Amino acid sequence: MAKFVGEDWSAQRPQYMNSPKSKNAKFQKSICHRCNTNVSKHYDDAYSQFSEDLRAIMTDGADPNEIVNMWPWNQPLSPLGKDYRKYFEKLIGCHAAEVGAPIPEALSLSVANVLWPVRTRATILCNESWRLGIAELRKSGDPFSHVAHHGLAVLFDRETFGPKSYRSGIRIDWADVYFEYEFDDEEVEELCSDHIEFLDEARSNAKIG
């Protein structure tokens, strides 16, 4: 397993770990104890159920994107549907805090459970080379499983080249699950006026799309 974290904001350097309890699996203290336990524990529980369901789909040989048609993940207003989205909002916020990136207030309030999930959308991609590699290992009886965090990325608008969204995610075996937090007009204006150095550094690494 690997957690992708690095010294720069793009967080692309892998740190390998032998188990989920490895110190490399943990974030720096970027969220207070109360928020990480009382407020957001059910986000973690929802993600655990989501990852189990996703692995079950892939074990059966189905496209991991089928999970978006399954209950409760196809019901964004259901308790589990809401909480698993908030888990990924928390993931984006923790990555941003680790690297000193500005955190939008609406994102913070959603993670604190003051707001419903805000302007986030999911994308699931299947990594074919990982799928084939894991399949070969499992044929030989190796119960290999892969989990990795995708670090914070900034996406820019193709036409305006202005900041468009934050993106982070997790790889579960051969499925890359990405979540984007889309900036509103006020957040774009604030980033462009108050965080110029951050955006200049981000543009040299980020995706235009």
Side-chain angles (χ1 to χ4, degrees):
M1 296 191 293
K3 174 191 173 189
F4 287 89
V5 291
E7 295 178 356
D8 61 19
W9 69 270
S10 57
Q12 294 301 314
R13 182 175 303 166
Q15 292 182 337
Y16 293 96
M17 52 198 180
N18 296 320
S19 76
K21 294 185 178 180
S22 166
K23 67 179 182 179
N24 285 340
K26 300 177 181 179
F27 288 101
Q28 300 173 17
K29 291 184 178 180
S30 53
I31 186 171
C32 74
H33 178 74
R34 176 181 173 275
C35 287
N36 200 38
T37 53
N38 298 349
V39 174
S40 65
K41 183 182 182 302
H42 48 294
Y43 307 164
D44 301 339
D45 294 340
Y47 165 74
S48 295
Q49 184 62 56
F50 172 82
S51 62
E52 287 178 14
D53 289 351
L54 184 59
R55 278 203 172 93
I57 288 174
M58 292 188 286
T59 298
D60 291 341
D63 185 332
N65 277 286
E66 287 298 316
I67 197 166
V68 302
N69 299 317
M70 291 176 54
W71 187 91
W73 318 118
N74 63 348
Q75 299 293 326
L77 298 183
S78 69
L80 280 174
K82 173 176 70 74
D83 285 346
Y84 108 96
R85 288 178 62 194
K86 283 182 177 283
Y87 172 84
F88 282 95
E89 290 178 355
K90 175 183 171 183
L91 182 69
I92 291 171
C94 286
H95 277 306
E98 278 196 328
V99 298
I103 301 175
E105 183 180 13
L107 179 62
S108 297
L109 290 175
S110 182
V111 173
N113 213 22
V114 176
L115 297 176
W116 279 78
V118 290
R119 297 190 307 280
T120 52
R121 60 188 180 91
T123 303
I124 301 176
L125 303 176
C126 181
N127 188 305
E128 188 64 16
S129 61
W130 273 97
R131 186 186 71 79
L132 294 173
I134 292 175
E136 286 300 314
L137 284 171
R138 290 180 179 169
K139 282 181 183 177
S140 66
D142 189 333
F144 178 84
S145 185
H146 179 75
V147 177
H149 287 173
H150 291 287
L152 184 72
V154 183
L155 275 61
F156 289 84
D157 187 271
R158 185 180 298 275
E159 295 181 359
T160 68
F161 297 100
K164 177 182 176 184
S165 61
Y166 280 153
R167 187 179 72 180
S168 187
I170 287 181
R171 175 174 291 171
I172 301 172
D173 288 343
W174 57 86
D176 288 310
V177 183
Y178 291 106
F179 259 75
E180 285 184 43
Y181 171 84
E182 298 179 353
F183 303 126
D184 64 19
D185 291 342
E186 289 185 4
E187 290 165 349
V188 170
E189 183 177 350
E190 180 180 346
L191 283 168
C192 292
S193 62
D194 298 343
H195 302 282
I196 297 173
E197 290 186 8
F198 168 75
L199 289 182
D200 286 345
E201 183 180 359
R203 280 192 180 92
S204 65
N205 296 282
K207 177 181 176 181
I208 304 295

